[in-house]
Amino acid sequence: MIQEEFERLMEEKKWGELREFLNSLEWTDLKDLFSSMKSSDLVPAFRLLHKDDALELFESLEVDRQAELINLMSDPETIKLVESLDPDDRARLFEELPAKVTKQLLRNLSPEARESVNLLLGYPEGSAGRIMTSRYLSAKANRTAGQILSSLYATPLRPDEMQVIFVIDSGRFYKGYVTLGSLIKAKPDITMGELAEEPDVFVSTFDPRTEAAKIVNEYDLPAIAVVDSEGRMVGSVTFDDVLDVVEEEATEDFQKLGSVGVIKTSVKGASSWLLYQKRVPWLLFLVLMSIISGAEMSYFEGTIQEVVALLFFLPLLIGSGGNAGSQSATLMVRSLATGDVTIKDWLKLLTKEITVSLAIGITLAFAVVAIGLAKGGAEVALVAAFSMVMVVLLGSLIGMSLPFLLTRLNLDPATSSTPLVTSVADIVGVLIYLSIATWYFGI
Amino acid sequence: MIQEEFERLMEEKKWGELREFLNSLEWTDLKDLFSSMKSSDLVPAFRLLHKDDALELFESLEVDRQAELINLMSDPETIKLVESLDPDDRARLFEELPAKVTKQLLRNLSPEARESVNLLLGYPEGSAGRIMTSRYLSAKANRTAGQILSSLYATPLRPDEMQVIFVIDSGRFYKGYVTLGSLIKAKPDITMGELAEEPDVFVSTFDPRTEAAKIVNEYDLPAIAVVDSEGRMVGSVTFDDVLDVVEEEATEDFQKLGSVGVIKTSVKGASSWLLYQKRVPWLLFLVLMSIISGAEMSYFEGTIQEVVALLFFLPLLIGSGGNAGSQSATLMVRSLATGDVTIKDWLKLLTKEITVSLAIGITLAFAVVAIGLAKGGAEVALVAAFSMVMVVLLGSLIGMSLPFLLTRLNLDPATSSTPLVTSVADIVGVLIYLSIATWYFGI
């Protein structure tokens, strides 16, 4: 009866109900069910268990069945099944795997398979868990440096995976690291626990991968430990993965800042259809934004018809507002990404931005006056020069503040793309210029 | 007489003449001069010698005088003197230092002092020579793995400087590397020469630092060798320096793409005056560019006065051209920087760009028609829709090609900033839209 109910829910892919059902079973029934179920059901059922139950069950299984479960987890069919789940469902349904199972699962996987199997572990995209490897050296804290050094001769790991030895206790709790260099320089009878440095330097599986990059960068370590939510070591992130992360994150920020959707593949290899999809939504959105500028132009068409010389300064003015805003947005987006600036700095930077953009605005206003005199149209040039100061000031303040606002709303500051800032600055620029002109010429 | 002439030239800071003078002296006179000259003149005079003479002279000096010379080279006064030289002069006057002198000079310098002393060596800004350290392990090719391993116990280097052992011959020529891991796993009687891997993986002091980053990234090595123009090892670049390079280079590209001059310091800490200086030149340049758009507007003012409804679509059209161009420029600048795309790919990418931007242009044209119908102005909307296709196509092609053109001219592709592309697209956009309108309405 239990088995039939299980198979029915499995068949109908009712994952939520299945999860409740499995976790309501008596311990003996659960064990029987897992011993008798089809191989293909093993992984999904196992992943729906509570973490503690999963560990206990895993340890109670026959060694053969354990190996089968682990092998099935890296099976392409299983991965496809898990990938077909909605990412939110996946995060909601799957708890962490027990550290012991994770370690066994990740062992001996190729780097290419790693990313997809880490998906199975339920770590969200962009998390440290997604980029960790289980090919690292660990040593119990009570072993001596001499023992470990002499055992390294026979490790199956590659030399580039041996740069750091992570120290753990008998419960796999992380206790610090020992670099290969300090192991060699250490007295042979000192214990790994005594030698271990910085037990607080690690990341959690669910931390963003940028956090791992920050720590590697700060401590100049070739590899750092990744622990689960209980502090048990489950993997390691190496400097070469961090180099990739830093490059990829910068590329994503570039694409967002250019108002392109994030393109995960090579731009060279991307299909025309993919590029179209990544580019057109933002452009459509910006077209809709431009309707506001267009409406302003229509509203002031009387002014323009009367003083048609205003048209000459129009591209120059709205361009400058957008350009000054783009500069500010770019500086802030990048500074927020590298950690040079944090959200707390907004007010201090705002004061500086006002000073700088006023100075810039006044400089450009002089250029406008000079152009106006050369062209012969002193009155219009005066209106344009005064507008210039306002437009540059407001454009800069918008460009500078938008990334902070987005950060505050827990959105990516890089979304304040230069085209977006330019569009907003256009709206403001047209309004200011034509309002001032209408007032000045008394239309 | 020789000494007097030397002191006169030194006094008058005639570096070029001094260089000729020193290199014209007989060997014995040169040796006498160096034995008798003031300490403060020692470094400048030494740096003006030809490389081969410098090595011979250095080796002929008393050990005390050698040490004095080396110490003087990292003296803040000496560095200030060298910094006061024009960078071009510095590069022209200074040859490479002999590898032996470089090695001694860089030994024991703090990382902070390294950058300024590498300046003294005459390596240009942004070169691998500027970021190298001399704190690395090297081993002669004929030593055995066992000998090296047992000697490491006593190295004065820090553990993080021991990750790679560089193998050299008796002339300090680079012969490959051995990671600490492979040294431990190696048979004790194998020679370092036999164990050494990839003798071709290194950078030259004058290579750009991005080249060092590329190699570290490609080979996943914690450190790589830096050799002088003869192939003699003079330093090492480590992964943590490479991480900094990757971040700094991305930041510079961001700033250029946002048409801000490169700001070497923290944006948070930058003075208002510095920010003004970095921002205003580009904005002034772009204002001058916008005069062209302004002149076009003036030229077509008759058309606008006649069909004033054209104004409504103006921001929308020129905005879209600039936005599409910004997208393309951003994609290309970043792809060129990461090496995803090279200059050879231009033609292939151009074809794809035409396809994609035509598709985008037609999509946006439909949006324009829809807006036109909603607003009630079918004829103007038709003109705007047709212009939209052209404007998006040309904007994209400009944005996509400008980075390649700059690369071709040996300029930085990131100079094709989004504000620049937007300004150029504005010029093209105004021209197309108002020309088509003038023709269509028969004005």
Side-chain angles (χ1 to χ4, degrees):
Chain A
M1 209 227 104
I2 287 175
Q3 190 155 354
E4 280 155 24
E5 175 69 2
F6 169 75
E7 277 167 9
R8 187 184 65 80
L9 290 169
M10 198 77 203
E11 185 105 359
E12 295 171 7
K13 295 183 190 294
K14 296 201 161 155
W15 304 111
E17 283 179 44
L18 195 56
R19 181 185 158 96
E20 271 174 49
F21 172 72
L22 285 170
N23 289 307
S24 71
L25 288 180
E26 292 296 318
W27 182 244
T28 43
D29 291 339
L30 194 66
K31 261 179 67 176
D32 287 348
L33 182 63
F34 267 85
S35 308
S36 58
M37 74 172 64
K38 292 205 302 270
S39 295
S40 60
D41 293 345
L42 213 48
V43 174
F46 185 74
R47 288 303 283 114
L48 292 171
L49 293 178
H50 280 318
K51 185 177 178 180
D52 293 338
D53 292 344
L55 178 61
E56 208 174 331
L57 183 86
F58 184 76
E59 292 187 326
S60 76
L61 290 177
E62 303 280 314
V63 176
D64 289 7
R65 197 77 173 164
Q66 282 186 355
E68 192 183 355
L69 183 63
I70 292 296
N71 283 332
L72 280 170
M73 283 207 189
S74 52
D75 188 73
E77 284 302 309
T78 312
I79 289 166
K80 213 175 285 171
L81 178 91
V82 175
E83 270 181 331
S84 71
L85 284 177
D86 186 78
D88 293 344
D89 281 347
R90 209 156 51 214
R92 192 169 47 78
L93 290 169
F94 288 8
E95 288 188 43
E96 277 184 309
L97 273 181
K100 186 175 174 177
V101 182
T102 308
K103 169 93 182 161
Q104 279 205 33
L105 173 60
L106 290 180
R107 183 185 297 282
N108 296 326
L109 277 181
S110 70
E112 296 72 40
R114 222 202 295 161
E115 171 93 351
S116 43
V117 170
N118 285 356
L119 173 86
L120 185 73
L121 299 173
Y123 302 129
E125 200 172 327
S127 69
R130 276 292 186 95
I131 56 165
M132 73 185 178
T133 169
S134 73
R135 295 183 64 89
Y136 60 87
L137 289 171
S138 62
K140 294 272 156 68
N142 57 5
R143 305 285 302 278
T144 66
Q147 285 174 329
I148 298 299
L149 188 55
S150 55
S151 72
L152 286 185
Y153 184 82
T155 173
L157 294 186
R158 292 193 310 268
D160 60 299
E161 296 160 345
M162 297 168 59
Q163 287 147 2
V164 178
I165 299 116
F166 298 100
V167 182
I168 53 176
D169 68 9
S170 50
R172 297 200 63 77
F173 287 101
Y174 178 65
K175 295 293 166 196
Y177 68 86
V178 176
T179 61
L180 197 49
S182 38
L183 186 71
I184 287 176
K185 293 179 86 175
K187 294 203 175 65
D189 54 351
I190 194 170
T191 68
M192 293 302 281
E194 290 170 296
L195 208 54
E197 293 176 70
E198 316 263 17
D200 300 328
V201 174
F202 58 81
V203 277
S204 296
T205 44
F206 285 92
D207 282 344
R209 60 184 197 167
T210 46
E211 181 64 25
K214 221 176 96 191
I215 293 175
V216 164
N217 214 339
E218 190 175 333
Y219 290 88
D220 291 347
L221 285 170
I224 57 166
V226 183
V227 303
D228 67 11
S229 54
E230 294 168 328
R232 293 181 211 257
M233 178 148 188
V234 289
S236 156
V237 170
T238 58
F239 78 89
D240 45 301
D241 290 324
V242 162
L243 266 172
D244 294 340
V245 167
V246 169
E247 290 231 321
E248 281 171 30
E249 292 283 335
T251 299
E252 286 183 16
D253 279 357
F254 269 105
Q255 292 174 348
K256 287 180 193 152
L257 205 62
S259 78
V260 186
V262 171
I263 298 172
K264 292 274 176 193
T265 57
S266 142
V267 168
K268 190 171 153 188
S271 70
S272 299
W273 173 235
L274 178 74
L275 288 172
Y276 173 83
Q277 284 176 297
K278 293 291 178 182
R279 291 177 57 180
V280 96
W282 264 104
L283 291 176
L284 269 174
F285 170 74
L286 293 167
V287 160
L288 297 180
M289 294 251 323
S290 300
I291 294 180
I292 305 175
S293 304
E296 290 171 353
M297 298 282 271
S298 294
Y299 179 80
F300 287 109
E301 61 186 31
T303 307
I304 294 172
Q305 275 186 313
E306 196 125 337
V307 192
V308 76
L310 287 168
L311 282 175
F312 176 80
F313 288 102
L314 191 74
L316 204 142
L317 271 175
I318 62 176
S320 295
N323 293 338
S326 297
Q327 288 183 331
S328 304
T330 305
L331 287 177
M332 286 310 129
V333 165
R334 183 60 183 166
S335 297
L336 284 165
T338 58
D340 177 23
V341 158
T342 61
I343 196 155
K344 292 196 306 288
D345 300 315
W346 180 70
L347 202 67
K348 200 191 138 207
L349 288 167
L350 187 71
T351 326
K352 192 153 73 177
E353 188 72 27
I354 292 173
T355 319
V356 174
S357 59
L358 270 179
I360 291 173
I362 292 167
T363 311
L364 298 189
F366 276 110
V368 165
V369 170
I371 295 165
L373 291 178
K375 210 190 151 263
E379 273 194 319
V380 173
L382 203 71
V383 168
F386 186 70
S387 304
M388 181 63 103
V389 180
M390 300 287 290
V391 165
V392 168
L393 176 66
L394 286 172
S396 295
L397 292 184
I398 292 164
M400 181 259 168
S401 299
L402 204 53
F404 282 96
L405 182 69
L406 289 165
T407 307
R408 189 60 205 263
L409 299 171
N410 285 321
L411 295 170
D412 188 333
T415 314
S416 54
S417 62
T418 49
L420 177 62
V421 169
T422 304
S423 292
V424 177
D426 281 359
I427 295 173
V428 177
V430 171
L431 186 66
I432 290 175
Y433 180 44
L434 297 180
S435 300
I436 293 177
T438 306
W439 166 81
Y440 182 86
F441 293 107
I443 297 159
Chain B
M1 207 225 105
I2 287 176
Q3 190 155 354
E4 280 155 23
E5 174 69 1
F6 169 77
E7 278 166 10
R8 187 184 64 80
L9 290 170
M10 200 75 203
E11 185 105 1
E12 295 171 9
K13 292 184 192 295
K14 296 201 164 156
W15 305 111
E17 282 180 45
L18 195 56
R19 180 184 157 96
E20 270 174 51
F21 172 73
L22 286 170
N23 289 304
S24 71
L25 289 179
E26 293 295 318
W27 182 243
T28 42
D29 293 338
L30 194 66
K31 262 179 65 176
D32 288 349
L33 181 64
F34 267 86
S35 308
S36 59
M37 74 172 64
K38 290 204 303 273
S39 293
S40 60
D41 292 346
L42 211 48
V43 175
F46 186 74
R47 288 302 284 115
L48 292 171
L49 293 178
H50 281 315
K51 186 177 176 181
D52 293 337
D53 292 344
L55 178 64
E56 208 172 331
L57 183 86
F58 184 77
E59 292 188 325
S60 76
L61 291 176
E62 303 280 314
V63 176
D64 289 6
R65 197 75 173 166
Q66 280 185 356
E68 189 182 358
L69 183 62
I70 291 295
N71 283 333
L72 280 170
M73 283 207 190
S74 51
D75 188 72
E77 284 302 311
T78 311
I79 289 166
K80 213 175 285 173
L81 178 90
V82 174
E83 271 182 330
S84 71
L85 284 178
D86 185 78
D88 292 343
D89 280 349
R90 208 154 54 211
R92 194 168 47 78
L93 291 169
F94 288 8
E95 287 187 48
E96 276 184 308
L97 272 180
K100 186 175 174 175
V101 182
T102 308
K103 168 92 184 162
Q104 280 204 34
L105 172 60
L106 290 181
R107 182 184 298 282
N108 296 325
L109 276 182
S110 71
E112 296 71 42
R114 221 203 296 161
E115 171 94 351
S116 43
V117 170
N118 285 357
L119 174 86
L120 184 75
L121 299 174
Y123 302 129
E125 201 173 326
S127 69
R130 275 289 186 95
I131 57 166
M132 71 184 180
T133 169
S134 73
R135 296 183 63 88
Y136 60 87
L137 290 170
S138 61
K140 293 273 157 66
N142 57 5
R143 306 283 304 276
T144 67
Q147 286 173 329
I148 298 300
L149 188 55
S150 56
S151 71
L152 285 185
Y153 184 83
T155 174
L157 294 186
R158 293 192 310 268
D160 60 296
E161 296 160 344
M162 297 167 60
Q163 287 147 1
V164 178
I165 299 114
F166 298 99
V167 181
I168 54 176
D169 67 10
S170 50
R172 297 200 63 76
F173 287 100
Y174 178 65
K175 294 295 167 196
Y177 68 85
V178 176
T179 62
L180 197 48
S182 39
L183 185 71
I184 287 176
K185 294 181 83 176
K187 294 203 175 63
D189 56 351
I190 195 171
T191 68
M192 292 302 280
E194 289 169 294
L195 209 53
E197 292 176 71
E198 315 264 17
D200 301 328
V201 173
F202 59 80
V203 278
S204 296
T205 43
F206 284 92
D207 282 342
R209 59 184 198 168
T210 47
E211 182 64 23
K214 221 177 95 191
I215 293 175
V216 165
N217 214 339
E218 190 175 331
Y219 289 88
D220 291 347
L221 286 169
I224 57 166
V226 184
V227 302
D228 67 11
S229 53
E230 293 167 329
R232 293 179 212 258
M233 179 148 187
V234 289
S236 157
V237 170
T238 58
F239 78 90
D240 45 298
D241 291 324
V242 162
L243 266 172
D244 294 339
V245 167
V246 169
E247 290 231 320
E248 281 171 31
E249 291 282 334
T251 299
E252 286 183 17
D253 278 358
F254 270 105
Q255 292 174 349
K256 286 179 193 154
L257 205 62
S259 77
V260 186
V262 171
I263 298 172
K264 292 273 177 196
T265 58
S266 143
V267 167
K268 188 172 155 186
S271 71
S272 298
W273 173 233
L274 178 73
L275 288 172
Y276 174 83
Q277 283 176 299
K278 293 292 177 182
R279 292 177 58 179
V280 97
W282 265 104
L283 291 176
L284 270 174
F285 170 73
L286 292 168
V287 161
L288 297 181
M289 295 252 322
S290 300
I291 295 179
I292 305 175
S293 304
E296 289 171 353
M297 298 282 271
S298 295
Y299 179 80
F300 287 107
E301 62 187 30
T303 305
I304 293 171
Q305 275 185 312
E306 195 126 336
V307 192
V308 78
L310 286 168
L311 282 176
F312 175 80
F313 289 103
L314 192 74
L316 205 140
L317 272 175
I318 61 177
S320 295
N323 294 340
S326 297
Q327 288 184 331
S328 304
T330 305
L331 287 178
M332 287 309 128
V333 165
R334 183 59 181 166
S335 298
L336 284 165
T338 58
D340 177 23
V341 158
T342 61
I343 195 157
K344 292 194 307 287
D345 299 315
W346 179 71
L347 202 66
K348 201 192 137 207
L349 288 167
L350 187 71
T351 326
K352 191 153 73 180
E353 188 73 27
I354 292 173
T355 319
V356 173
S357 59
L358 271 178
I360 291 173
I362 291 168
T363 311
L364 298 188
F366 276 109
V368 166
V369 170
I371 294 165
L373 290 177
K375 213 192 149 258
E379 273 195 317
V380 171
L382 203 69
V383 168
F386 186 70
S387 305
M388 180 63 102
V389 179
M390 301 286 291
V391 165
V392 168
L393 176 67
L394 286 171
S396 295
L397 293 183
I398 292 164
M400 181 259 167
S401 299
L402 205 53
F404 282 97
L405 182 68
L406 289 164
T407 308
R408 188 60 204 265
L409 299 171
N410 285 321
L411 297 170
D412 189 333
T415 314
S416 55
S417 62
T418 50
L420 177 61
V421 169
T422 304
S423 294
V424 177
D426 281 0
I427 296 173
V428 176
V430 171
L431 186 66
I432 290 175
Y433 180 44
L434 297 180
S435 299
I436 292 177
T438 307
W439 166 80
Y440 182 86
F441 292 106
I443 296 156

